[in-house]
Amino acid sequence: PGEPDSGDILEGLFIPDLRNKFVVQQVVRMVGCIIMPHHLFLHSALVQSHKVERGQDRQAIVFFTVVSSIALFTTLLINLPAVAVIAKGFYGTADADQLGLVNAWDYLGDKFGAALKIV
């Protein structure tokens, strides 16, 4: 396969095609494994680090929602390229079934160069 089409990537990012039942499972797994842990820890730290005065509940909810959304979007910006690189390196390879979190970066480093292990 050749290079992926940038237009298709952006379309898939903003208009996902969820007709296949396996795609829905992948989306749920991605949210559960990548996005939710970051959001849980960032949001809990945010809430615990700010005091909320009585009567300021509504403002606090708006503030926490905005800051939490920014944190979640930042998480997306950080993790999306990492997941894309891993997917490009593994897709269609014979080794894909044997690769996991323990040896994924070693495999990609061997395939694309040692600098990728650091990145």
Side-chain angles (χ1 to χ4, degrees), residues 55-113:
Q56 302 292 325
D57 298 344
R58 189 160 190 76
Q59 289 175 325
I61 290 171
V62 170
F63 173 75
F64 291 142
T65 301
V66 169
V67 174
S68 180
S69 298
I70 291 169
L72 191 58
F73 182 70
T74 303
T75 301
L76 174 71
L77 292 178
I78 292 168
N79 286 309
L80 187 63
V83 171
V85 167
I86 291 169
K88 180 171 177 26
F90 295 164
Y91 184 75
T93 65
D95 299 326
D97 290 337
Q98 286 77 36
L99 295 171
L101 292 176
V102 174
N103 59 352
W105 293 111
D106 291 330
Y107 175 82
L108 290 173
D110 294 342
K111 186 170 181 179
F112 296 111

